[in-house]
Amino acid sequence: SERMGYRLPGITQIQTNDKIDLKFSRALHTALLQDPDVILVSELRDAEIAQTALRAALTDCLVFAGTCARDAVDALPSLMNMGVAPNLAASSVLAVVSQSLVRRVCDQCSEPYELSAQESEWLGQQGMAPEQRSGLRRGHGCSNCNETGYYGRFGVFEMLEMNRDLVEAAVRGETANWTQAARARLQGATLLDHALQQVVQGNTTVTEVMRIATQLEA
């Protein structure tokens, strides 16, 4: 059956096809020959693809690319572990955005609730003041949310923008120094901080945020 899709003016999408040797890296090289203004690379899956995309970013081409990393801080070390030269990663990356999806509290059955001792202790460890831990909400379950207490999902984010200190740490290729500088740059604006804000606003639950925290620590 014919694949359904959208045709948008000024946008070209390339579908890889191993049967004709149109592999991911070759498709990317072919796209760059067209002198594009913007390229979206779904995933920097190996050193060859990553280096090609990063070199393109050093030209007039704006490159958006996905990579497999635990969070924004881990993105550049992941590229270096893949085989990307530290100076190439440092000079071509402008910013890294990390995201996670959390479940939204059901509007139809949302209600205030008392935190468990474990939840209250964990929030305290995250630096949340006692006055912020009152009036939190969760769904008790209804037909609208199929008795789950949640309805839909939304994103929480963090964005690490490069600055001189981060560039210098990345060029040296010292993971520990990079991590320390990046954590300092993100202080108060991490993905977990954003998720905790959503808890205070009643959009999600402590349980959901604890799940995200566990994934980030894995």
Side-chain angles (χ1 to χ4, degrees):
S1 61
E2 184 178 353
R3 291 186 176 183
M4 301 297 292
Y6 297 96
R7 293 186 180 276
L8 300 174
I11 295 180
T12 301
Q13 181 174 349
I14 300 175
Q15 179 65 46
T16 60
N17 188 341
D18 289 344
K19 293 181 180 179
I20 60 172
D21 198 33
L22 184 58
K23 297 182 179 179
F24 203 101
S25 57
R26 186 173 180 183
L28 180 56
H29 282 290
T30 302
L32 291 173
L33 292 175
Q34 310 305 310
D35 191 24
D37 295 318
V38 182
I39 288 181
L40 171 62
V41 183
S42 60
E43 182 184 358
L44 304 180
R45 59 184 65 182
D46 58 42
E48 180 183 7
I49 294 171
Q51 289 176 153
T52 301
L54 293 175
R55 288 194 182 102
L58 293 175
T59 67
D60 291 334
C61 181
L62 177 62
V63 179
F64 294 92
T67 187
C68 183
R70 183 176 55 184
D71 56 17
V73 174
D74 190 45
L76 259 69
S78 293
L79 290 175
M80 295 175 194
N81 290 337
M82 192 185 295
V84 174
N87 62 326
L88 177 59
S91 58
S92 55
V93 175
L94 294 177
V96 182
V97 177
S98 178
Q99 70 169 18
S100 184
L101 290 176
V102 296
R103 292 183 293 176
R104 185 185 297 276
V105 172
C106 176
D107 291 336
Q108 302 298 316
C109 62
S110 172
E111 63 180 11
Y113 79 105
E114 292 294 327
L115 290 170
S116 68
Q118 180 185 13
E119 290 174 330
S120 184
E121 180 182 1
W122 185 81
L123 289 176
Q125 292 171 355
Q126 308 312 310
M128 184 179 287
E131 58 270 19
Q132 293 179 293
R133 299 177 224 166
S134 60
L136 304 187
R137 305 185 71 85
R138 68 179 176 188
H140 63 75
C142 65
S143 58
N144 182 61
C145 61
N146 199 26
E147 303 299 332
T148 63
Y150 299 97
Y151 190 85
R153 296 174 185 267
F154 64 95
V156 291
F157 307 90
E158 66 182 10
M159 184 171 74
L160 177 63
E161 294 184 86
M162 297 293 285
N163 62 9
R164 182 179 297 274
D165 290 341
L166 291 181
V167 170
E168 292 176 352
V171 167
R172 290 194 296 269
E174 300 172 354
T175 302
N177 289 342
W178 157 264
T179 300
Q180 182 179 6
R183 295 288 182 208
R185 176 83 165 146
L186 271 175
Q187 188 172 10
T190 66
L191 190 148
L192 188 56
D193 289 325
H194 190 199
L196 287 170
Q197 291 172 15
Q198 300 305 310
V199 170
V200 174
Q201 294 171 15
N203 295 323
T204 193
T205 63
V206 179
T207 301
E208 275 292 277
V209 179
M210 291 175 72
R211 176 182 62 82
I212 292 175
T214 300
Q215 293 175 351
L216 293 173
E217 294 169 357

